[in-house]
C-alpha cells in the first residue's frame, strides 16, 4: 500500500502558482518518456535501490534536469522508510561550541543529501518533550543529542529508540550507556592543564567554576590529581563556585577568593568567559596577570581576544561533530553492528601570555 501511495504522490505532483491557478509540473512519467526508459528505471535511479547502467542513469538525470523534475520527498520516504532527515538537540545553538559542532554536522549530512533540523531546548525539560514528540511524528532517521543535564536522560534515548530513531550523544559531560557518545576527555584535560602549571612551578592553585556541573567536577578532579602528584594542592578553601557561567560570575568569584586571604599563585577558570571576569577582578585588586597571578582556563571562544591572551585547553568541537555525524549516518545505514561506545577526545593546550613561572606573591600582599 505504501508503494502505491508513493507512486501516486510522485506521478500527480502539482503546485499552485498565484491565487487560484494550478500548474502541473513534470512527473516521473514525463522523465521516463524524455529519457526513453521505463518508469521503473527512473525510480531505480532516484531511489538507488537497484543497479542501473551508467548510460541509462546519465540519460535519466539529464531528463530530470531539463524538465526541472524534483522527486517528491514524502513519496521517497514512504517508499524507502527513510526521511533523509536528522535532528540536533542542544540547549542553545548560540553557544559557540555547539555552533561549531553544528557546522561540522551539517557538512557531513549535506554531503549525503540529509537535512538537519536544529532544536534549541533552552534547558527546559518540557520543551525537550515537545521536540521529541514532533521529531518522532516527523519520522526523523536519527538524532544527535547534546549530553547536557536536560537532554542526557535514558528515558529520552529510549523514547527515540522505541520509534526506530537512532541516537548519538555529543559534548557535554553526561555520557549515556546504550548510545555512541563523542565528548571531550574533561578529566584528562584538567590533568594536562595541571601538569603544565606544575611544570611552571605552581603549587597552590585555585579553581573557579559553576556550583553544579558534571564537566566542572571532572576538570577539577584532573587538576587535583596533577597537583597532588607534584606535592602541591588545590584545597577546598581555594575552590570558589558561582551559579552563573558568565564573566560577571567569574569576577564575583575571584573577588571572594581574594578576600579570603588564602595564598595562591594561579587560578583555573571553568571557561574562558569566566576567566575574562577573573582577570578583571584581579586587576581591580592591583594584581597583574601573569606577573602576580597566572590564569588558565578551558575553551577558545574569548581566550585569544583578551589581554593578556589566555592559556587554555581547547576541545575541537568540529572534530567531535564530524565524528558524531559520521557515526550516526553509519548507524542509520546499518554499517555498524558493534555495541555503542564512549569516544573521549583529548584536548590540546594553547599556551599564551596569561601564565608564567610564579613569583613570591599571595592574595594578602600587595
Amino acid at each position: 500500500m505504501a508503494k502505491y501511495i508513493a507512486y501516486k504522490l510522485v506521478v500527480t505532483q502539482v503546485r499552485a502558482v498565484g491565487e487560484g491557478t494550478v500548474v502541473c509540473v513534470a512527473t516521473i512519467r514525463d522523465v521516463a518518456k524524455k529519457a526513453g526508459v521505463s518508469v521503473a528505471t527512473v525510480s531505480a535511479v532516484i531511489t538507488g535501490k537497484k543497479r542501473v547502467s551508467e548510460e541509462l542513469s546519465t540519460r535519466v538525470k539529464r531528463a530530470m534536469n531539463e524538465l526541472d523534475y524534483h522527486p517528491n520527498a514524502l513519496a521517497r520516504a514512504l517508499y524507502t522508510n527513510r526521511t533523509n532527515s536528522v535532528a540536533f538537540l542542544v540547549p542553545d545553538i548560540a553557544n559557540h561550541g555547539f555552533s561549531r559542532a553544528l557546522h561540522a554536522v551539517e557538512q557531513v549530512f549535506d554531503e549525503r543529501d540529509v537535512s538537519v533540523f536544529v532544536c534549541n531546548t533552552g534547558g527546559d525539560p518540557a520543551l525537550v518533550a515537545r521536540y521529541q514528540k514532533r521529531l518522532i511524528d516527523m519520522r526523523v532517521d536519527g538524532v544527535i543529542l547534546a549530553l547536557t543535564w536536560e537532554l542526557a536522560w535514558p528515558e529520552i534515548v529510549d523514547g527515540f529508540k522505541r520509534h526506530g530513531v537512532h541516537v548519538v550523544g555529543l559534548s557535554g559531560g553526561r555520557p549515556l550507556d546504550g548510545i555512541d557518545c563523542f565528548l571531550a576527555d574533561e578529566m584528562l584535560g584538567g590533568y594536562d592543564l595541571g601538569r603544565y602549571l606544575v611544570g611552571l612551578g605552581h603549587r597552590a592553585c585555585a579553581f573557579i567554576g559553576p556550583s553544579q556541573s558534571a564537566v566542572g567536577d571532572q576538570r577539577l578532579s584532573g587538576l587535583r590529581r596533577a597537583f597532588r602528584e607534584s606535592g602541591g594542592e588545590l584545597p577546598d578553601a581555594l575552590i570558589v563556585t558561582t551559579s552563573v557561567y558568565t564573566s560577571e560570575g567569574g569576577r564575583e568569584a575571584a573577588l571572594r577568593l581574594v578576600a579570603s586571604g588564602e595564598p595562591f599563585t594561579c587560578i583555573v577558570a571553568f571557561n574562558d568567559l569566566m576567566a575574562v571576569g577573573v582577570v578583571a577582578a584581579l586587576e581591580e585588586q592591583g594584581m597583574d596577570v601573569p606577573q602576580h597571578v597566572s590564569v588558565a582556563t578551558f575553551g577558545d571562544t574569548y581566550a585569544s581576544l583578551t589581554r593578556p591572551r589566555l592559556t587554555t585547553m581547547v576541545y575541537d568541537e568540529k572534530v567531535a561533530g564530524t565524528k558524531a555525524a559520521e557515526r550516526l549516518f553509519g548507524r542509520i545505514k546499518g554499517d555498524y553492528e558493534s555495541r555503542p561506545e564512549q569516544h573521549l577526545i583529548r584536548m590540546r593546550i594553547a599556551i599564551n601570555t596569561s601564565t608564567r613561572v610564579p613569583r613570591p606573591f599571595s592574595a594578602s600582599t600587595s
Side-chain angles (χ1 to χ4, degrees):
M1 182 64 176
K3 291 184 179 180
Y4 171 75
I5 295 173
Y7 174 76
K8 292 295 288 181
L9 283 167
V10 171
V11 300
T12 60
Q13 292 183 87
V14 295
R15 68 183 174 202
V17 180
E19 186 174 350
T21 303
V22 177
V23 178
C24 291
V25 299
T27 69
I28 194 171
R29 287 186 179 278
D30 297 327
V31 174
K33 182 177 179 180
K34 188 171 185 64
V37 299
S38 67
V39 170
T41 298
V42 177
S43 178
V45 172
I46 293 171
T47 64
K49 283 205 165 188
K50 293 182 181 179
R51 283 190 61 120
V52 178
S53 70
E54 184 175 345
E55 189 268 333
L56 287 181
S57 179
T58 300
R59 280 162 53 186
V60 169
K61 291 177 181 178
R62 184 185 302 119
M64 290 171 63
N65 289 332
E66 291 175 359
L67 293 171
D68 194 25
Y69 171 77
H70 298 276
N72 188 296
L74 176 58
R76 291 181 66 183
L78 289 168
Y79 186 84
T80 63
N81 202 32
R82 284 182 54 195
T83 60
N84 282 343
S85 64
V86 297
F88 189 17
L89 271 73
V90 295
D92 185 0
I93 202 61
N95 179 297
H96 290 276
F98 288 130
S99 63
R100 281 195 288 258
L102 174 61
H103 283 302
V105 168
E106 286 183 317
Q107 183 174 351
V108 169
F109 284 114
D110 180 63
E111 292 171 355
R112 293 158 174 81
D113 197 27
V114 176
S115 300
V116 180
F117 298 100
V118 180
C119 303
N120 288 282
T121 68
D124 183 355
L127 184 55
V128 173
R130 293 199 297 274
Y131 271 134
Q132 182 173 44
K133 183 180 184 305
R134 292 174 196 168
L135 295 173
I136 291 172
D137 289 345
M138 291 167 58
R139 302 293 193 270
V140 295
D141 301 317
V143 167
I144 292 179
L145 199 72
L147 296 170
T148 53
W149 75 269
E150 84 282 15
L151 286 166
W153 290 91
E155 295 83 357
I156 294 175
V157 173
D158 292 342
F160 280 120
K161 284 185 172 182
R162 283 197 303 271
H163 292 85
V165 180
H166 298 272
V167 182
V168 168
L170 176 65
S171 301
R174 301 170 183 269
L176 293 171
D177 294 330
I179 62 172
D180 294 295
C181 295
F182 294 84
L183 61 165
D185 193 332
E186 304 287 0
M187 192 174 297
L188 182 59
Y191 179 77
D192 286 344
L193 181 55
R195 291 296 299 168
Y196 164 72
L197 293 170
V198 165
L200 289 177
H202 293 280
R203 293 296 181 271
C205 181
F207 179 78
I208 291 176
S211 54
Q212 293 184 343
S213 169
V215 170
D217 291 343
Q218 293 173 42
R219 292 173 179 176
L220 179 57
S221 177
L223 277 167
R224 277 184 149 159
R225 175 187 159 204
F227 275 87
R228 186 170 58 248
E229 289 177 355
S230 72
E233 60 179 343
L234 212 159
D236 290 342
L238 290 180
I239 298 171
V240 184
T241 61
T242 176
S243 60
V244 292
Y245 295 64
T246 63
S247 59
E248 185 56 34
R251 174 182 173 277
E252 185 273 334
L255 291 175
R256 281 192 283 134
L257 175 65
V258 172
S260 73
E262 294 289 334
F264 57 86
T265 60
C266 62
I267 300 174
V268 173
F270 174 78
N271 63 28
D272 56 353
L273 182 56
M274 295 182 74
V276 170
V278 170
V279 172
L282 293 175
E283 290 179 347
E284 289 173 19
Q285 299 300 308
M287 302 179 197
D288 182 79
V289 177
Q291 295 301 318
H292 296 144
V293 180
S294 289
V295 175
T297 187
F298 295 80
D300 60 343
T301 302
Y302 306 98
S304 63
L305 305 177
T306 63
R307 292 294 178 270
R309 295 175 63 184
L310 294 167
T311 292
T312 185
M313 297 301 297
V314 179
Y315 166 53
D316 196 330
E317 292 93 350
K318 291 182 68 175
V319 169
T322 297
K323 290 179 178 292
E326 289 176 343
R327 178 53 60 96
L328 179 59
F329 185 75
R331 292 288 185 190
I332 293 169
K333 294 278 288 183
D335 295 341
Y336 291 99
E337 299 298 332
S338 60
R339 291 176 58 85
E341 299 175 333
Q342 185 179 131
H343 305 265
L344 296 178
I345 299 172
R346 188 168 188 167
M347 299 181 187
R348 64 176 176 83
I349 187 169
I351 299 172
N352 286 309
T353 53
S354 68
T355 51
R356 56 156 288 165
V357 173
R359 57 182 289 186
F361 182 83
S362 79
S364 58
T365 65
S366 57

